[in-house]
Amino acid sequence: MTVKIALWGVGAMALRMADMLLDRSGVAIVGAIDRHPDKVGRDVAELAGRAEPCGAVVSEDADAVLARQPDIVLHATDSFLAAVAPDIRRAVEAGADVITIAEEMAYPWAADPVLAQGLDAAARASGVTVLGTGVNPGFVMDSLVLALTGACATVDRIHVSRVNDLSQFGPTVMRTQGVGLSPQAFAAGVADGSVVGHVGFPQSVGMIATALGWTIDRVEETREPIISDIRRETPHVTVEPGMVAGCRHVATGYSGDTAVIVLEHPQQVRPEAAGVETGDTIHIDGAPPIRVASAPEIPGGAATAALAVNMIPRVLAAAPGLRTMADLPIPTAWTTLDPQSAARRNA
């Protein structure tokens, strides 16, 4: 029994997924969709750095790839619901399950309830499942938190902090985080929307609140510059003393006037140069209280690719519709296909 997989988008994240899939039994990459002229016509395995081709060639023609009837599409093109929804709908209407790493798809109702409902209805009509996942949102600051609340009789408040290193990312991420700007330019970027910080806080708050049955009356977000007092360099940016090295982005979900969910995400380049240790910390105020901390950070790129791949058996076995990580069994590492997980697709 072989599960057929198509990639939609062949950027760095999708190629990480492809590299994982090429080592797994019971799966076959049957095609890939991308418009980049340097990638069209090339074998996915070659793009992933493999010596041997796998036979899946990148195509601009989405309909032609979907006509190969993939069981599941791994989608990795954009962060925002409005941008990815048309692609996801096409895949759904072709009869494929979809796993996307678009941040707003982790809990799309927070971005656009009407558009999310439309995707849910389309997935149910086609008998397929759609899931948004990733390291954050999708895991560290939401579904992992929810798993830990399973050890609590009551939960009063949740505070999560994720301190990470932006140095691995390219110019686009540097711009959206304000890295390399003056403090004044950073403030102007926040005001005009060019400095966005982390994408996904409303999704994490929504997922947590829905799973716990909490009512969130409002979510407030703040974005503050992390000013460097030393010179820092990455392949894509140089930060001089007095310039912005990153963004401290905080989201607070209120029930009435009480802050019940606080998500803090300070991101910067070369944090170790400033004596800052990366890591993930979860505080749950409840009975019993829980504190879990890990250092260094769970790596964003590798973990996001792994989550997308590891959720394939869960999605294949799930009921049709638009799902979140809170709806499905917890992710576990997956190296071989469980035949029962594909029973619905291959029936």
Side-chain angles (χ1 to χ4, degrees):
M1 185 179 295
T2 299
V3 173
K4 297 185 294 183
I5 299 172
L7 306 176
W8 199 317
V10 194
M13 292 304 303
L15 292 176
R16 283 179 180 263
M17 299 175 204
D19 192 48
M20 293 176 64
L21 291 166
L22 290 168
D23 289 330
R24 279 158 171 73
S25 61
V27 300
I29 301 174
V30 298
I33 303 163
D34 202 294
R35 295 180 179 178
H36 197 291
D38 292 338
K39 297 176 181 178
V40 172
R42 295 176 65 185
D43 191 276
V44 169
E46 173 202 349
L47 290 170
R50 298 297 188 102
E52 296 295 325
C54 67
V57 175
V58 179
S59 172
E60 293 180 278
D61 190 341
D63 291 332
V65 174
L66 294 173
R68 296 169 195 163
Q69 298 183 316
D71 299 305
I72 193 161
V73 171
L74 299 183
H75 189 277
T77 65
D78 204 286
S79 297
F80 300 100
L81 171 61
V84 303
D87 295 349
I88 292 173
R89 183 178 284 273
R90 288 175 72 181
V92 161
E93 291 175 348
D97 288 330
V98 178
I99 295 176
T100 176
I101 60 170
E103 286 93 330
E104 287 192 343
M105 281 295 297
Y107 190 85
W109 297 273
D112 188 330
V114 174
L115 189 51
Q117 182 59 35
L119 287 176
D120 181 54
R124 291 173 186 271
S126 293
V128 299
T129 306
V130 178
L131 174 72
T133 192
V135 72
N136 184 38
F139 188 66
V140 172
M141 302 185 94
D142 38 54
S143 63
L144 178 58
V145 175
L146 289 171
L148 292 171
T149 66
C152 298
T154 60
V155 177
D156 301 316
R157 183 176 182 270
I158 290 167
H159 183 181
V160 187
S161 174
R162 176 167 169 80
V163 181
N164 74 317
D165 184 358
L166 292 172
S167 301
Q168 63 178 308
F169 295 102
T172 299
V173 171
M174 297 301 171
R175 286 193 297 271
T176 60
Q177 296 290 333
V179 177
L181 298 179
S182 68
Q184 296 77 15
F186 180 96
V190 171
D192 67 23
S194 60
V195 174
V196 299
H198 170 62
V199 177
F201 274 145
Q203 285 66 40
S204 292
V205 171
M207 190 190 307
I208 292 170
T210 298
L212 295 180
W214 289 357
T215 298
I216 299 298
D217 297 299
R218 69 186 189 280
V219 177
E220 295 182 357
E221 298 185 54
T222 60
R223 298 168 182 85
E224 299 175 351
I226 298 172
I227 309 300
S228 185
D229 58 3
I230 57 173
R231 191 173 193 269
R232 312 187 197 190
E233 292 185 68
T234 81
H236 300 287
V237 68
T238 297
V239 177
E240 300 291 348
M243 296 174 66
V244 176
C247 177
R248 180 177 182 269
H249 191 170
V250 179
T252 305
Y254 288 88
S255 177
D257 293 326
T258 302
V260 293
I261 301 174
V262 179
L263 306 179
E264 182 179 357
H265 198 2
Q267 305 184 73
Q268 60 186 299
V269 296
R270 299 288 312 280
E272 78 288 349
V276 176
E277 183 179 31
T278 67
D280 302 300
T281 305
I282 298 170
H283 291 265
I284 301 171
D285 293 334
I290 291 176
R291 181 182 186 276
V292 174
S294 65
E297 64 183 289
I298 298 174
T304 292
L307 280 157
V309 170
N310 288 332
M311 289 305 293
I312 288 174
R314 304 287 194 256
V315 168
L316 289 172
L322 184 53
R323 304 296 174 190
T324 75
M325 290 291 285
D327 298 323
L328 303 182
I330 62 170
T332 58
W334 167 63
T335 55
T336 58
L337 179 68
D338 173 4
Q340 292 183 351
S341 72
R344 173 168 62 85
R345 176 67 63 239
N346 291 279

